[in-house]
Amino acid sequence: MTAGYNNFFKGLKWPVLLAVSLLANNVVAQVTVTPGTAASGPLCVGHDYVDVGDIEVVETDYNDLGNGTFTYILAPPTKFEFDPASGSVTVSQGVQLSNVSVTRGSTTFTIEYTHNIDATTLDGFRIEGLKIKATGAGGPGAITASGGTSPAGNVQDHGTFSSKQVVADAGDDVSICEGNSTVVGGSPAATGGDGNYTYLWIPTPELSDATAPNPTATPAATVTYTLTVTDGTGCAGADQVDITVT
């Protein structure tokens, strides 16, 4: 009995391993993703949305997108958000994708599709016009396929982005007597960005130098000064300070 039992399983060794391997491949189905690359360089916090660029998602094997109806959900990197009014999806390759629709949001971009397996064509879709902006300094981080029911939803990099933030410091609010002066601006008056700053204070009257980080103000009446700091790449930040004249 023992010899027959062992011989039986020896005969099945390779078929069993092959079946396990095929099952694992189905679970970790992969598609080929061409990331969006329209946005170049770090994005500036406080600036408007920019186009991610076309993202191509194409099967590597005939069943990578599954057989049935699925969702494929994209999520932005940490400290980024999507424009909830942006993005569309079109079938870019093959004939077995149908009923493609999208649900847009700032934290997810959800694609729903129906796919029938066909061993003669590789199918794919293209995401176009999706926009993103930075909400804080960070990265680099990738747009990821997160959640959803598509068997190909484990692919990570759909476009990698980083961001930077220029922080202006106009200084603390202060009260002065009429005819007196005070220095405005923090110490330092700017942080973040690339460090190559230009400064602009408004309103400019009664300031010793409206383009200095720490000008002297001699206001005749109570005033609010706004400091805008721009770095060498065009990233900007602003802050205000109130000077009360008594």
Side-chain angles (χ1 to χ4, degrees):
M1 285 290 293
T2 301
Y5 181 87
N6 289 336
N7 288 335
F8 173 76
F9 276 96
K10 285 180 181 178
L12 285 182
K13 179 179 179 181
W14 294 113
V16 169
L17 290 177
L18 178 60
V20 171
S21 177
L22 289 175
L23 177 60
N25 285 339
N26 285 336
V27 171
V28 293
Q30 293 281 353
V31 290
T32 299
V33 174
T34 304
T37 57
S40 60
L43 303 186
C44 300
V45 176
H47 285 206
D48 204 357
Y49 295 100
V50 299
D51 199 313
V52 166
D54 291 354
I55 301 172
E56 295 277 356
V57 179
V58 179
E59 289 183 301
T60 302
D61 200 357
Y62 300 113
N63 64 345
D64 286 341
L65 291 174
N67 187 39
T69 299
F70 301 94
T71 56
Y72 190 93
I73 303 176
L74 297 185
T78 301
K79 296 186 179 179
F80 289 85
E81 66 177 31
F82 293 137
D83 177 356
S86 71
S88 62
V89 177
T90 58
V91 176
S92 59
Q93 182 171 315
V95 296
Q96 298 301 321
L97 277 167
S98 61
N99 302 321
V100 179
S101 63
V102 298
T103 302
R104 302 170 182 86
S106 60
T107 58
T108 57
F109 182 82
T110 301
I111 303 163
E112 184 172 322
Y113 66 87
T114 299
H115 182 248
N116 300 314
I117 295 176
D118 180 351
T120 62
T121 62
L122 296 175
D123 301 304
F125 53 83
R126 179 184 300 116
I127 303 163
E128 301 172 301
L130 184 61
K131 295 183 178 181
I132 196 171
K133 74 175 180 180
T135 58
I143 296 175
T144 59
S146 175
T149 58
S150 170
N154 61 329
V155 177
Q156 290 301 302
D157 186 0
H158 293 63
T160 301
F161 302 90
S162 59
S163 60
K164 60 181 180 177
Q165 182 173 13
V166 173
V167 179
D169 183 359
D172 296 329
D173 296 341
V174 65
S175 294
I176 62 173
C177 294
E178 184 177 358
N180 286 355
S181 300
T182 186
V183 174
V184 294
S187 180
T191 55
D194 68 1
N196 184 22
Y197 305 125
T198 57
Y199 304 88
L200 179 61
W201 291 87
I202 55 173
T204 58
E206 301 165 333
L207 288 174
S208 60
D209 185 349
T211 61
N214 300 105
T216 298
T218 313
T222 296
V223 64
T224 298
Y225 290 109
T226 299
L227 168 64
T228 300
V229 181
T230 306
D231 79 353
T233 65
C235 286
D239 192 30
Q240 292 184 322
V241 62
D242 294 328
I243 307 298
T244 302
V245 178
T246 60

